[in-house]
Amino acid sequence: MQINPHTPLAPLTSSVRHEPSVNETNRRFSMSRFGTDPLSFFNSVYDSIPPWDIGMPQPAMSDMLAKYPPLNPVLDVGCGSGDLSIYLAQLGHQVVGVDFVETA
């Protein structure tokens, strides 16, 4: 089947609004891999050194950024200890790193 890129897509909205039931909402939040309270999960992880904090950017991320350099400015959402933000700044990028865990 070939798709014509010039064919307009159907609208994403509907005239019928679906309100999720309490069970649907609870199921959606309880299926998070960080539990029902991600902030508490990450706060507890940062009570010590998290397993992903290796004191430098993750090698796969460094490799990907070398192949596909980002454009400035760079926003590092969930920067943790800031290893990736620091690495990018050292490469000359304008970087802002943010995390919702204060101790990160």
Side-chain angles (χ1 to χ4, degrees), residues 4-83:
N4 181 345
H6 302 290
T7 302
L9 298 174
L12 296 176
T13 60
S14 170
S15 60
V16 178
R17 184 175 174 158
H18 171 72
E19 292 292 330
S21 69
V22 172
N23 286 337
E24 289 174 313
T25 301
N26 288 341
R27 184 172 57 245
R28 184 177 74 228
F29 287 114
S30 66
M31 291 177 61
S32 167
R33 64 181 171 173
F34 307 118
T36 56
D37 186 1
L39 180 57
S40 291
F41 170 80
F42 282 104
N43 278 330
S44 68
V45 169
Y46 278 96
D47 284 341
S48 61
I49 298 173
W52 54 81
D53 192 344
I54 60 172
M56 58 189 246
Q58 294 291 325
M61 184 63 84
S62 299
D63 292 345
M64 182 189 71
L65 292 171
K67 189 172 182 178
Y68 305 103
L71 300 175
N72 283 319
V74 176
L75 176 60
D76 186 2
V77 177
C79 67
S81 59
D83 293 330

